[in-house]
Amino acid sequence: MGRLFAGTQWDRPPRCDRCGALESECTCPPAEPPAPDRIDPSRQTARIRVEKRPKGKSVTTVRGLDPLGNDLPALAAQLKTAIGGGGTVKDDGSIEIQGSHPDRVESLLASIGYKTKRG
């Protein structure tokens, strides 16, 4: 959506919020988005369990980690690389790794610093 009076006699060119200069003449560096607050892994418990899918395939799931306090896609990528398998991050904040690998996932999460619990 444009400015309220765009194209009328009351139209004013947009100005920078920080320095007040016209946006076309502003020399302020671009604002960086705030870094998300990360939760220390030692204060979190990851619940690991193996689930069976309807077609008989096994999936190792990691739950109980806060999606806002963790970088779940990066953590999933790290787990998939170490295990050598596929997987995904679900919308509910759980990580799924293809295959039955609870021991390996538990040891990898423990080496990062997470507390782990089966089931």
Side-chain angles (χ1 to χ4, degrees):
M1 184 171 138
R3 295 182 308 278
L4 182 60
F5 298 108
T8 66
Q9 61 183 0
W10 296 284
D11 185 21
R12 293 184 184 155
R15 296 192 169 269
C16 176
D17 294 332
R18 290 183 274 169
C19 67
L22 294 174
E23 282 187 356
S24 59
E25 299 170 359
C26 176
T27 58
C28 295
E32 293 185 22
D37 294 329
R38 298 290 180 209
I39 300 172
D40 185 32
S42 63
R43 294 183 11 205
Q44 301 180 67
T45 302
R47 297 192 171 271
I48 302 166
R49 69 186 241 193
V50 177
E51 297 178 358
K52 200 105 165 158
R53 294 293 180 224
K55 292 187 178 182
K57 306 246 178 176
S58 297
V59 176
T60 304
T61 60
V62 179
R63 295 176 191 218
L65 301 178
D66 183 21
L68 300 176
N70 294 293
D71 188 7
L72 293 183
L75 181 60
Q78 190 175 0
L79 291 172
K80 291 188 306 184
T81 301
I83 290 174
T88 187
V89 177
K90 293 294 187 178
D91 291 336
D92 62 355
S94 64
I95 299 173
E96 292 185 353
I97 305 295
Q98 294 174 354
S100 179
H101 308 286
D103 297 327
R104 293 174 71 186
V105 169
E106 185 174 18
S107 66
L108 289 166
L109 289 174
S111 69
I112 295 171
Y114 290 99
K115 293 183 231 169
T116 59
K117 193 177 234 186
R118 295 280 182 106

